[in-house]
Amino acid sequence: YNSTKEKAIKNINFNIKGNTMTAFVGHSGAGKSTIINLLPRFYDPEKGSVLLDGMNLRDLSLHDVRDAVALVPQKPFLFDLDVEKNIELGKSKYTEATINEVCQLAYADEFINEFEQGYQERLGEKGSRLSGGQLQRLALARAFFKNSPLLVLDEATSALDAENEDKIHEAMAQLIKGKTTLLIAHRFSSLKLASRILVMDKGRIIADGPHDEVYKNCDLYRTLYDQQSEGLS
């Protein structure tokens, strides 16, 4: 970053297989979001390259790259439009389901149907009329609607209570089918969906493998995991 001249990520080199979920774990500032944000080309690497099916992302149009990526951020952004129009913003060439279907899949229809105007209810600037959990469920519904082959989840359950988190994990299990998924995990309960975990520390990958292997061999991961487990017990 320019403010510190410190490299956000260093000596990063890895491949991700299609139709798998890979989770990124580490302290805040470890470089997880930096890596994730390279995929939709929010910025390009100063050195090296990011390849998609062997093609450099720089050689693909920005429209095609972003059409192929569905992003569910930790803090979703919604416009002062009605529910239907906010979901429609996610439309892509991969879209197949209806708005009602995707809202049911994301368990968002439960609160939408309580609105006086249902799917035509305006949500306020930045979705100000919604709770954090409702915002996240609508963001998941938009990702369902977009149906892109690449899915990026930046802790899509962080604002949910335990009951709704379980529901959303069920929804996510459906959403990731047939997709290549990258997950930034803050709540480790999300890791049960991941087949591979990359542990990051100070811009580097310090462990790579399935949960049992990483838990056994990586002190940082074991400490973070055990702290959360103790907090939930």
Side-chain angles (χ1 to χ4, degrees):
Y1 291 109
N2 290 331
S3 59
T4 62
K5 303 299 181 184
E6 179 74 15
K7 293 185 185 298
I9 51 177
K10 308 154 193 169
N11 302 318
I12 298 292
N13 184 19
F14 62 91
N15 297 310
I16 290 178
K17 293 181 180 179
N19 301 335
T20 63
M21 176 187 268
T22 301
F24 294 80
V25 174
H27 288 298
S28 178
K32 306 183 298 294
S33 293
T34 300
I35 288 181
I36 290 289
N37 289 336
L38 288 169
L39 186 58
R41 290 191 65 192
F42 291 151
Y43 38 70
D44 290 320
E46 292 180 351
K47 294 181 180 179
S49 57
V50 181
L51 305 181
L52 178 60
D53 288 340
M55 295 177 287
N56 194 318
L57 289 188
R58 293 176 189 264
D59 297 331
L60 303 173
S61 76
L62 197 57
H63 178 270
D64 284 345
V65 170
R66 292 186 177 170
D67 217 28
V69 179
L71 172 64
V72 183
Q74 188 177 3
K75 296 181 179 179
F77 188 91
L78 298 180
F79 293 89
D80 188 15
L81 302 168
D82 62 36
V83 174
E84 194 168 281
K85 289 185 175 64
N86 267 292
I87 300 297
E88 281 180 342
L89 290 171
K91 188 173 184 178
S92 74
K93 64 183 179 182
Y94 305 101
T95 296
E96 294 177 349
T98 66
I99 289 174
N100 291 70
E101 287 171 341
V102 297
C103 286
Q104 289 172 14
L105 285 170
Y107 297 97
D109 61 317
E110 296 178 355
F111 65 85
I112 294 171
N113 291 329
E114 294 179 356
F115 291 147
E116 186 176 335
Q117 299 185 58
Y119 283 80
Q120 277 65 55
E121 187 89 4
R122 290 185 70 137
L123 301 178
E125 193 68 33
K126 298 182 181 179
S128 59
R129 297 187 57 213
L130 301 176
S131 69
Q134 289 171 337
L135 274 169
Q136 288 189 319
R137 282 188 274 177
L138 280 185
L140 279 168
R142 191 155 60 190
F144 273 117
F145 189 64
K146 190 171 185 182
N147 197 36
S148 299
L150 299 172
L151 179 62
V152 176
L153 302 170
D154 188 352
E155 194 43 83
T157 63
S158 60
L160 300 174
D161 56 35
E163 181 182 354
N164 282 318
E165 185 180 16
D166 288 341
K167 289 181 179 179
I168 293 305
H169 281 153
E170 292 176 17
M172 286 165 57
Q174 297 299 315
L175 179 58
I176 66 176
K177 285 182 178 178
K179 296 178 173 61
T180 303
T181 306
L182 306 183
L183 166 73
I184 294 181
H186 302 284
R187 270 176 150 177
F188 282 17
S189 53
S190 303
L191 293 177
K192 56 188 172 185
L193 296 172
S195 56
R196 179 185 182 191
I197 295 166
L198 298 177
V199 184
M200 297 198 65
D201 185 39
K202 298 178 182 178
R204 293 183 168 87
I205 294 173
I206 62 170
D208 179 357
H211 165 76
D212 290 346
E213 178 183 316
V214 174
Y215 183 86
K216 178 181 177 182
N217 298 320
C218 179
D219 292 340
L220 173 61
Y221 180 76
R222 185 165 55 253
T223 299
L224 292 172
Y225 189 91
D226 287 348
Q227 285 175 346
Q228 279 206 16
S229 298
E230 290 170 5
L232 293 173
S233 61

